[in-house]
């Protein structure tokens, strides 16, 4: 059975421009309605179900014609371009999409340019969050308001100042070969980069940001996001971690198929492919249910892409962050997965100039 999975989203940008604050804001974007359900905390990632996007977006959904079929959005919790480039999948980045965040008052900085170059190289679609609009002189702050609602309430001088700052950013993008525009003035999202003015600190514009990223994913990545949900899982290691009582575990983002607790997995190490059997699949307990820090996880029987999960298994000491994890359900699959992982290790060594 095929289904469309959640796009995996990375956040990039210059230091102090607000990556962490924005991710925190998204994590807190819960809506009052019980029906909508809430944000789900995964291992190393945060999921915003599509119902939440729809609920907070309200009339903004008309920005996107047609029905949104995505189940949600999965944000990688580790921001920055180091994570973006080291987490690989299918020869590219694990992230399907990115949000590039720029402090609109500071404009382009060295890591902004670096991030754009990386996104270009990986051909990753992205949108731009022009952050810290609340710091514009005289800006009226209304927490969690959509940008377009908030913007209308500003006096002309503040509006004009934002426009000037945005034009500077648009000019810089032009120099780097991109046509960019404020999102509500974009005619064709395939040709123009959309800029969403936000205040990560006060939640302004987060609604538009989520709607746009969902729309963009569905429009341009639908084929890539269509997966055979019952197939053996593929994933990427976020982190190798020692856990009390569990030994060495790996935190993994699964981007394809379903991982089952009785699967054999083949895992990338520094120079080898490790073959092991899963001992447990673990997800974080809701924060309010953790009474004893030794029992922070719940066991699950299986997990379907896209998801972040902790895997406990013997022999994971040599596992390497950024490497692939492939589930195998037959001897033949194990061999194939080993070959795939070994050739990837080789490729990375060549690219990094090691051999
Ligand atoms: P990162 O290095 O990109 O992850 O940046 P942080 O999220 O750590 O933010 C750096 C600083 O900018 C912190 O002191 C934040 O509180 C502040 N900051 C982030 N977003 C905003 C914003 O929208 N408005 C204001 N006024 N400050 C912000």
């Amino acid at each position: 059975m095929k289904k469309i999975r959640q796009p995996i989203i990375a956040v990039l940008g210059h230091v102090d421009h607000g990556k962490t604050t924005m991710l925190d804001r998204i994590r807190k974007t819960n809506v009052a309605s019980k029906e909508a359900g809430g944000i789900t905390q995964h291992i190393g990632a945060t999921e915003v179900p599509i119902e939440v996007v729809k609920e907070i977006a309200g009339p903004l959904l008309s920005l996107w014609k047609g029905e949104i079929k995505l189940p949600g959005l999965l944000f990688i919790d580790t921001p920055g371009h180091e994570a973006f480039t080291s987490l690989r999948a299918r020869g590219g980045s694990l992230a399907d999409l990115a949000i590039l965040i720029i402090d609109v008052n500071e404009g382009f900085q060295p890591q902004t340019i670096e991030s754009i170059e990386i996104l270009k190289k990986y051909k990753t679609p992205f949108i731009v969050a022009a952050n810290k609009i609340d710091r514009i002189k005289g800006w009226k702050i209304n927490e969690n308001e959509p940008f377009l609602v908030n913007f209308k309430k500003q006096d002309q001088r503040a509006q004009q100042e934002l426009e000037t700052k945005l034009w500077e950013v648009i000019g810089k993008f032009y120099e780097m070969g991109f046509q960019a525009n404020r999102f509500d003035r974009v005619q064709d999202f395939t040709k123009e980069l959309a800029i969403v003015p936000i205040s990560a600190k006060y939640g302004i514009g987060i609604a538009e940001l989520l709607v746009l990223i969902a729309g963009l994913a569905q429009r341009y990545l639908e084929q890539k996001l269509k997966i055979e949900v019952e197939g053996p899982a593929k994933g990427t290691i976020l982190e190798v971690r020692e856990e009390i009582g569990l030994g060495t575990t790996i935190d993994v983002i699964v981007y394809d198929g379903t991982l089952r607790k009785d699967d054999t997995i083949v895992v990338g190490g520094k120079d080898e492919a490790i073959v092991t059997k899963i001992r447990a699949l673990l997800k974080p307990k809701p924060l309010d249910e953790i009474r004893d820090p030794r029992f922070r996880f719940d066991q699950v029987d299986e997990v379907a892409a896209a998801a972040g999960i902790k895997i406990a298994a013997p022999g994971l000491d040599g596992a390497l962050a950024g490497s692939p994890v492939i589930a195998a359900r037959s001897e033949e699959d194990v061999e194939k997965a080993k070959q795939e992982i070994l050739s990837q290790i080789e490729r990375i060594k060549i690219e990094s100039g090691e051999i």
Side-chain angles (χ1 to χ4, degrees):
M1 190 188 69
K2 292 223 171 202
K3 72 155 191 182
I4 297 176
R5 67 160 168 82
Q6 303 88 330
I8 298 164
I9 302 155
V11 177
L12 277 67
H14 193 73
V15 63
D16 280 347
H17 279 199
K19 297 179 292 295
T20 313
T21 309
M22 188 177 72
L23 281 164
D24 282 348
R25 235 332 137 163
I26 290 171
R27 253 178 242 131
K28 286 184 203 136
T29 314
N30 264 322
V31 281
S33 155
K34 276 269 186 305
E35 274 159 70
I39 307 288
T40 321
Q41 205 52 55
H42 289 232
I43 293 283
T46 302
E47 181 178 0
V48 184
I50 207 66
E51 290 74 27
V52 174
V53 177
K54 285 181 177 165
E55 184 101 17
I56 64 160
L60 288 171
L61 273 180
S62 63
L63 282 170
W64 293 100
K65 294 151 200 89
E67 187 200 351
I68 296 196
K69 289 178 273 179
L70 291 179
L73 307 170
L74 192 72
F75 289 89
I76 301 176
D77 286 342
T78 330
H81 53 274
E82 296 85 0
F84 181 88
T85 50
S86 65
L87 300 174
R88 290 163 167 257
R90 305 150 295 206
S93 173
L94 170 65
D96 303 300
L97 283 172
I99 299 176
L100 174 71
I101 188 160
I102 304 176
D103 178 339
V104 77
N105 307 290
E106 282 206 352
F108 271 45
Q109 295 297 321
Q111 287 158 21
T112 315
I113 297 169
E114 238 172 273
S115 302
I116 295 169
E117 271 159 4
I118 287 163
L119 292 168
K120 241 184 181 173
K121 181 175 154 203
Y122 282 81
K123 297 192 174 65
T124 306
F126 64 102
I127 60 171
V128 180
N131 192 27
K132 307 197 188 183
I133 58 169
D134 60 277
R135 291 177 78 174
I136 287 170
K137 211 164 145 227
W139 197 268
K140 297 186 188 78
I141 296 163
N142 283 312
E143 227 165 297
N144 297 328
E145 236 169 18
F147 166 75
L148 290 174
V149 177
N150 186 246
F151 186 71
K152 282 207 188 83
K153 295 179 183 165
Q154 308 301 326
D155 58 38
Q156 219 181 353
R157 206 189 241 167
Q159 284 186 347
Q160 199 47 54
E161 194 173 334
L162 176 64
E163 296 288 13
T164 308
K165 288 178 192 293
L166 287 176
W167 274 113
E168 275 169 32
V169 168
I170 289 168
K172 292 284 183 203
F173 272 117
Y174 188 76
E175 285 171 22
M176 291 192 75
F178 287 95
Q179 198 145 338
N181 221 332
R182 204 172 90 179
F183 70 96
D184 52 316
R185 297 168 182 151
V186 168
Q187 306 273 343
D188 182 347
F189 284 90
T190 56
K191 298 201 178 80
E192 284 168 272
L193 256 183
I195 305 178
V196 187
I198 69 161
S199 164
K201 187 167 176 177
Y202 296 105
I204 299 165
I206 299 294
E208 281 104 332
L209 199 70
L210 294 176
V211 175
L212 278 170
I213 203 113
L216 213 59
Q218 179 156 317
R219 266 205 200 171
Y220 302 113
L221 298 173
E222 206 177 319
Q223 282 316 310
K224 185 181 179 192
L225 298 178
K226 213 173 258 177
I227 58 164
E228 194 60 60
V229 64
E230 297 297 332
K234 285 191 172 191
T236 302
I237 304 177
L238 288 177
E239 219 175 316
V240 183
R241 222 194 259 262
E242 207 55 43
E243 298 283 357
I244 298 164
L246 295 170
T248 306
T249 65
I250 50 176
D251 293 352
V252 173
I253 300 272
V254 178
Y255 62 83
D256 197 4
T258 295
L259 192 60
R260 300 192 186 130
K261 91 170 175 223
D262 51 5
D263 276 341
T264 293
I265 48 170
V266 188
V267 178
K270 191 165 179 333
D271 296 298
E272 51 166 355
I274 302 159
V275 181
T276 182
K277 278 220 45 110
I278 294 175
R279 196 185 283 148
L281 293 177
L282 302 151
K283 63 171 201 183
K285 268 198 170 100
L287 275 180
D288 53 349
E289 285 174 25
I290 299 179
R291 289 188 182 84
D292 184 334
R294 281 174 303 170
F295 306 107
R296 288 182 295 136
F297 308 106
D298 279 328
Q299 289 211 30
V300 291
D301 290 339
E302 59 174 45
V303 59
I309 195 87
K310 182 182 282 297
I311 303 176
L316 289 175
D317 291 335
L320 201 64
S323 305
V325 175
I326 304 174
R329 293 175 190 155
S330 68
E331 274 305 312
E332 204 187 327
D333 281 354
V334 170
E335 266 325 297
K336 264 210 297 221
K338 268 164 88 174
Q339 288 317 315
E340 197 176 323
I341 286 175
L342 289 172
S343 68
Q344 183 164 330
I345 293 171
E346 197 80 352
R347 213 167 41 236
I348 290 173
K349 280 189 174 169
I350 291 168
E351 277 175 31
S352 63
E354 253 185 73
I355 49 172

